[in-house]
Amino acid sequence: MPKKPKKQQQSGGGTPATVALTAAGVDFTVHSYEHDPSHPSYGEEAAEAMGVSPDRVFKTLVADVDGALTVAVVPVAGSLDLKALATAVGGKRAAMADPALAERTTGYVRGGISPLGQRKKLPTVLDASASAHPTICVSAGRRGLEVELPPTALADLTRATLAPIGRA
């Protein structure tokens, strides 16, 4: 049985993602849980541990669109439509980025990449389904740590484009 996640309001310190949220004055909640390295999916593990619908928990993926790294934020319940991502940013072809390059560029480890507080600001596309929820959860910058916030706040802070880039 998964451990009950801890809920807290972040007041300062923390990861680059929570620091960015605090600096921007955004209301958010941090959820932490014990990460199980043997779980097959970081996002599904987060949804289960927090008791939140997988439609409200979003994963952060880094793709290469025509030679430029681009962040895609999609529900963990589905997958990324690479063609739709390319279209959303005016590109022709998209492929998943090399994981080591994604880690170096964002400053986060795989399974803990947050769309917020990245080392290098990348173009970001948030799946349009996020706007159907008052709040969504994304990685707070490390495995076992999620941040819950309004999707409008996430879109504003990352200057994200909203587009239908997820597949069920």
Side-chain angles (χ1 to χ4, degrees):
M1 183 165 181
K3 289 186 177 186
K4 188 170 168 89
K6 298 173 193 157
K7 247 185 165 178
Q8 64 189 38
Q9 189 69 30
Q10 190 75 13
S11 59
T15 67
T18 60
V19 169
L21 287 166
T22 300
V26 172
D27 283 335
F28 64 99
T29 303
V30 172
H31 299 269
S32 64
Y33 59 92
E34 188 125 356
H35 167 62
D36 176 3
S38 68
H39 200 288
S41 166
Y42 296 116
E44 288 174 11
E45 176 190 27
E48 290 167 10
M50 294 185 302
V52 174
S53 167
D55 293 337
R56 281 190 47 231
V57 179
F58 283 64
K59 56 189 169 187
T60 305
L61 304 171
V62 181
D64 179 318
V65 180
D66 297 337
L69 291 182
T70 304
V71 172
V73 185
V74 296
V76 301
S79 60
L80 171 62
D81 181 336
L82 288 165
K83 187 173 219 151
L85 176 64
T87 300
V89 295
K92 293 184 182 190
R93 279 194 35 166
M96 294 307 297
D98 173 68
L101 178 60
E103 289 179 344
R104 276 194 314 275
T105 304
T106 63
Y108 293 117
V109 298
R110 198 172 58 130
I113 294 177
S114 177
L116 300 156
Q118 295 180 357
R119 184 176 288 151
K120 180 180 179 191
K121 193 150 185 65
L122 299 172
T124 301
V125 181
L126 175 59
D127 186 65
S129 69
S131 60
H133 307 286
T135 61
I136 60 171
C137 298
V138 296
S139 175
R142 69 175 174 253
R143 297 171 189 153
L145 198 65
E146 293 282 312
V147 65
E148 182 177 352
L149 74 165
T152 52
L154 178 64
D156 289 347
L157 285 174
T158 60
R159 295 190 179 124
T161 300
L162 258 66
I165 59 167
R167 275 196 295 229

